[in-house]
Amino acid sequence: MIDRDENGRAREVLFEFSASLTYSLVYSYDVPTRELRWEPRMGKRDGVRGYARLDACDTGTRMTYALEQGPGRSPSDLALGDPEALLVAFARWVESRLAFQRAT
């Protein structure tokens, strides 16, 4: 974490996956619309930009997600951006956090 905003949320985060894949993302928060946006500051060739938004719907919550990967990304990096795989991983993470909170 490079920087936080006045609410303690990440404002800029450095990602180092290897010596050849390093970038930082700057985050902005729109609380009324429940939207989070990110864009690269350092390492734009390898970075990603996008957003996630949560909206109430009849069956619960709808998540809208968009991701644009930098031109320096390898084919295996691009595969990590698959929206279906990301949403499945996100849902698993949320479920694990809820299970952990119930257990403690």
Side-chain angles (χ1 to χ4, degrees):
M1 178 99 46
I2 294 174
D3 190 26
R4 295 178 187 266
D5 70 10
E6 61 279 354
N7 295 312
R9 299 174 297 197
R11 190 181 325 217
E12 185 173 5
V13 176
L14 176 64
F15 295 89
E16 295 179 304
F17 295 100
S18 67
S20 63
L21 185 59
T22 301
Y23 57 92
S24 71
L25 296 180
V26 177
Y27 295 89
S28 61
Y29 303 86
D30 186 338
V31 175
T33 63
R34 297 181 180 170
E35 188 169 287
L36 166 65
R37 292 190 166 274
W38 56 90
E39 63 181 57
R41 175 172 285 163
M42 181 189 82
K44 292 183 180 185
R45 183 183 72 85
D46 296 327
V48 296
R49 77 176 62 248
Y51 73 92
R53 184 178 60 244
L54 301 174
D55 295 300
C57 66
D58 292 340
T59 57
T61 303
R62 178 183 309 118
M63 179 177 176
T64 304
Y65 177 85
L67 183 68
E68 177 186 323
Q69 299 192 47
R73 294 295 189 130
S74 70
S76 61
D77 293 334
L78 295 174
L80 294 174
D82 173 53
E84 184 69 28
L86 286 169
L87 288 174
V88 168
F90 179 72
R92 267 190 253 146
W93 179 81
V94 169
E95 290 168 358
S96 71
R97 297 296 298 165
L98 292 173
F100 176 77
Q101 289 174 352
R102 283 189 289 254
T104 57

